[in-house]
Amino acid sequence: ISLVFFFHSSVSHRFIAKPCALGLKVQANGPQKAQPNAILEKVFTAITKHPDEKRLEGLSKQLDWDVRSIQRWFRQRRNQEKPSTLTKFCESMWRFTFYLYIFTYGVRFLKKTPWLWNTRQCWNGYPYQPLMPDLHYYYIVELSFYWSLMFSQFIDIKRKDFGIMFTHHIVTVTLITFSYVTNLTRVGTLTLCLHDAADVVLEAAKMANYCKCQKLSDLLFLSFAIVFIVSRLGIYPLWILNTTLFELYESLGNFPALWVFNVLLVVLQILHCFWSYLIIKAAYKAISKGKVAKDDRSDIESSSDEEETVPRSKTPHSTITTNGTGGANGTNGYLTGGTCSEEH
C-alpha cells in the first residue's frame, strides 16, 4: 500500500495538483540561481557548501570579491538546489487531500464508537476485542501513509527540522504497529484522528502562502497554531495520556506492553512541545509584524534585506555577461533583483 501512495502521489502531482497550481498562477520557477563561477563552484561541490571565515578570506583575495558577496553566492547556490514553488504547492496539495480524507473518515468512524465519549471503553474486554473492518482499514491506510512519508522525506523538500520529523515518523510508525499488534487499537484511533486535525489546516495554510494569498495564509496559520496547541498540548495529555497512564493501569493492572506504549506516547508529547515552541514564536511574529514573516521550517535560507543579490567585485565593472545574459539583469534567465521569498 505504501507503493500505492508513492504512485498516487506522482499521479496527483502531475494531473491534478499541477493544473490547479498553474490555474492559481503559482510560480513554476525555482529559487534564483547564483552567478556561474568556476572557482566557487569547485569549492561548493568538492570541498564545502558552508565555507568558514578563513576560506572566505582566501577566496576573497583570489577572486577580488568582498567576503559578503562570496557568502551571498554560497547562499544562492545552496538555495538553487531547492524545489520550485510549484513543486512545493503540489506536495502540500497531495498531503492536504490525504489528511482531509482520513480525518473525515476517522470522525465518521469514531462518532459511532462508545470509546469516543468514554475512554474507559478502550479497555473493556481487552485484549479480546474484535478487530472491526473499518478500524482495520483505518489503521492500514494511516500506517501506509506514514511509511511512505518516512521514505519520501529523503527525496521531498528538505527542511530544517529533518531530524525531528524523521524521529516523529519512526515513533509514529512504531506506535501504530505496536498498538495494532497488541490490540491497543481503540485508543490508537483516537490518537490518529486527533493528530490529523491540525495537519489539514497546516497544509491549507501552505497552499495559500504559495498562491500569495497572504491574508488567507496568515489566518489559516493562526488557526493552525490554535488547533495544534489545543489538540497536542491540551486534549492529547488530558484525553489520551490520561487514559493510557491511569485508566489503563486501573482497568488491567501492570503488564510490559503498557510501559512500552506509554514511553512512545510520551516521546510524541515531547515532540509536540518542541513544535509548539516554534509555532508560538511564528505566531508572535504574525501578531507583532502584522503577518507571518517566516517559520522555522522554511525551505529557503534567509537573506538580509539590505544585501544585494549579484556579487560585487572590489573593482568596478560596467557589465558582466554570463551565457548571453547581462549580469545587471540576471543570469541564465533568472532575474537578480529582490531577495529570496520566505514561506510558512
Side-chain angles (χ1 to χ4, degrees):
I1 298 180
S2 297
L3 292 176
V4 172
F5 273 113
F6 275 119
F7 174 75
H8 186 270
S9 175
S10 300
V11 173
S12 175
H13 280 207
R14 184 172 181 179
F15 297 105
I16 301 176
K18 188 174 181 179
C20 289
L22 295 176
L24 293 169
K25 299 181 179 179
V26 176
Q27 294 181 357
N29 60 299
Q32 175 184 314
K33 288 189 176 182
Q35 177 184 345
N37 185 289
I39 296 174
L40 295 180
E41 184 69 25
K42 184 177 180 180
V43 173
F44 182 88
T45 55
I47 302 175
T48 178
K49 295 182 180 181
H50 299 271
D52 55 23
E53 186 176 346
K54 184 177 180 181
R55 191 176 298 278
L56 287 171
E57 290 290 345
L59 290 170
S60 176
K61 294 177 182 178
Q62 184 177 359
L63 295 172
D64 197 28
W65 286 11
D66 59 53
V67 171
R68 194 177 181 186
S69 296
I70 297 174
Q71 289 175 323
R72 189 182 307 115
W73 187 95
F74 274 92
R75 179 175 54 254
Q76 291 177 350
R77 183 63 182 83
R78 291 192 297 267
N79 287 340
Q80 186 177 313
E81 299 181 344
K82 305 292 175 66
S84 66
T85 304
L86 178 64
T87 301
K88 290 181 283 190
F89 178 91
C90 291
E91 179 188 315
S92 289
M93 186 172 182
W94 151 241
R95 295 190 181 190
F96 170 79
T97 303
F98 173 81
Y99 285 130
L100 181 62
Y101 163 74
I102 203 64
F103 176 70
T104 304
Y105 179 90
V107 170
R108 292 183 62 185
F109 166 71
L110 285 171
K111 71 179 183 180
K112 299 180 292 184
T113 63
W115 60 85
L116 174 63
W117 316 109
N118 181 10
T119 53
R120 290 186 181 273
Q121 291 290 328
C122 291
W123 321 119
N124 283 354
Y126 182 84
Y128 305 106
Q129 296 171 340
L131 183 64
M132 296 178 288
D134 289 346
L135 191 153
H136 174 75
Y137 171 79
Y138 190 23
Y139 250 72
I140 292 301
V141 172
E142 287 274 20
L143 180 60
S144 301
F145 179 72
Y146 280 105
W147 267 113
S148 68
L149 281 188
M150 190 164 64
F151 290 114
S152 65
Q153 191 179 11
F154 293 96
I155 58 175
D156 282 343
I157 300 163
K158 294 293 187 299
R159 294 184 170 91
K160 293 180 180 179
D161 62 349
F162 176 88
I164 298 294
M165 282 303 299
F166 189 66
T167 302
H168 171 266
H169 295 331
I170 291 176
V171 172
T172 303
V173 168
T174 305
L175 260 173
I176 295 174
T177 305
F178 183 80
S179 62
Y180 185 86
V181 170
T182 56
N183 207 25
L184 295 165
T185 52
R186 290 186 177 183
V187 72
T189 56
L190 298 178
T191 307
L192 289 170
C193 190
L194 182 66
H195 281 72
D196 290 334
D199 291 327
V200 176
V201 189
L202 174 61
E203 298 303 333
K206 288 182 180 180
M207 289 192 295
N209 185 57
Y210 299 145
C211 294
K212 298 188 181 302
C213 300
Q214 191 62 50
K215 291 184 178 180
L216 177 60
S217 177
D218 292 344
L219 177 63
L220 287 170
F221 180 79
L222 294 176
S223 300
F224 159 73
I226 295 170
V227 173
F228 187 96
I229 292 170
V230 169
S231 61
R232 309 289 177 95
L233 298 187
I235 299 176
Y236 179 79
L238 296 177
W239 193 37
I240 303 299
L241 292 181
N242 177 66
T243 191
T244 59
L245 288 171
F246 303 109
E247 294 178 353
L248 174 56
Y249 182 80
E250 292 173 7
S251 300
L252 303 172
N254 189 15
F255 59 101
L258 179 149
W259 296 105
V260 175
F261 192 53
N262 278 310
V263 166
L264 292 170
L265 290 172
V266 169
V267 170
L268 201 58
Q269 180 63 9
I270 293 172
L271 294 175
H272 293 165
C273 294
F274 172 76
W275 280 317
S276 295
Y277 163 73
L278 298 181
I279 291 167
I280 291 171
K281 190 165 69 170
Y284 173 76
K285 291 181 181 179
I287 295 172
S288 62
K289 297 183 179 180
K291 66 176 183 178
V292 178
K294 180 180 178 291
D295 182 18
D296 285 287
R297 291 196 62 198
S298 176
D299 325 312
I300 304 298
E301 297 187 39
S302 61
S303 59
S304 173
D305 292 334
E306 63 189 30
E307 289 181 346
E308 297 174 11
T309 308
V310 180
R312 294 174 301 166
S313 172
K314 291 180 179 178
T315 55
H317 296 276
S318 58
T319 306
I320 303 174
T321 305
T322 309
N323 293 342
T325 309
N329 296 322
T331 57
N332 293 334
Y334 286 85
L335 294 177
T336 57
T339 58
C340 296
S341 61
E342 304 292 352
E343 66 174 56
H344 293 308

